[in-house]
Structure formats: structure tokens, C-alpha cells
Amino acid sequence: MDVAPEYVESAFSQLLGCRLQRLDTGVAEVALALEPHLRNRGQKLHGGAIFSLVDIAMGLACSASHGFDQQSVTIECKINYMRAVSEGEVLCTARVLHAGRRTLVVDADVLQGDKLVAKAQGTFAVL
């Protein structure tokens, strides 16, 4: 799916260093490399950075589902962290599970290679 950069990038996603890898109908894949400014006190990838990656990917999946001419916002999101990330890069794949007229339910996996780092599910409101 070809979409202009201003529709898929935000100042915040650029600040984090998120990179869009794939965008299909209802699906978005976004990568994030572990940079020094994203480390927590334990020198691991900060959970807040992972959560932001998830929210960005889920939002893009929603837009790729209902169209970039509409907006959607996060109502709620739940995340489980499975393992810490000490180096390298993670990839978040977000998929719309249900696209209603008013809400969307989205599932996301954050992987480092074949290892699951985090699993999330969120609900978005269509504005």
C-alpha cells in the first residue's frame, strides 16, 4: 500500500526512530532499533518505548483498514511483556481483528527475530 510519508509518520514516531516496514489493508509492521536514548535504568529497551511502538503500529493498521481520510484514536490498550531486549531491533506487527463502524479491535506482536518480546491488544475509536 503506497501512502504519502506525512500520513504514516509523526514527529513522535520519528523521535523514537520507528521505521515503517510494511503496510497492507488492516496490517502494519513497524521496526524500532535499540538506541541509547531508548534504554531504561537497567540498560534494556524501555517498556514505554515498546508500548509506543505498539500504539504507533496499531494506529497505522487502523488507518490502513478504514482509510487515511478518517482518524482513529486509542480507547484502551493492554500489553504483556515476555522478555527484555538488550540490543538489536524489534518488529511490531499489528493486525485489525475487527473493524466496526465506530470501533476497531487490534492485536499486536513485538518480536526480536523469532522471539516474542510483547503481546498487546487494543480498542480504537473511529472519529
Side-chain angles (χ1 to χ4, degrees):
M1 177 179 287
D2 288 327
V3 181
E6 61 267 19
Y7 290 113
V8 296
E9 294 178 357
S10 68
F12 185 65
S13 68
Q14 291 173 345
L15 178 69
L16 288 177
C18 293
R19 297 179 329 276
L20 180 63
Q21 301 295 299
R22 180 170 74 103
L23 192 62
D24 290 320
T25 304
V27 179
E29 286 184 353
V30 181
L32 179 64
L34 176 52
E35 299 291 340
H37 68 280
L38 298 177
R39 291 186 183 274
N40 62 19
R41 291 176 292 134
Q43 300 307 305
K44 310 293 187 218
L45 180 58
H46 195 289
I50 295 171
F51 190 91
S52 293
L53 170 65
V54 164
D55 194 51
I56 289 164
M58 285 181 164
L60 287 169
C62 288
S63 293
S65 177
H66 59 56
F68 284 84
D69 57 331
Q70 285 187 298
Q71 289 186 325
S72 52
V73 294
T74 311
I75 295 174
E76 62 83 31
C77 187
K78 181 221 186 297
I79 190 166
N80 290 99
Y81 299 96
M82 291 357 147
R83 64 179 350 100
V85 175
S86 300
E87 61 185 347
E89 178 173 288
V90 295
L91 179 69
C92 179
T93 302
R95 287 182 173 77
V96 173
L97 301 176
H98 169 75
R101 289 182 299 119
R102 295 183 184 180
T103 61
L104 300 103
V105 177
V106 188
D107 180 75
D109 292 325
V110 180
L111 296 153
Q112 187 173 42
D114 62 347
K115 298 192 188 286
L116 185 62
V117 172
K119 177 82 173 165
Q121 189 173 65
T123 307
F124 287 71
V126 179
L127 301 180

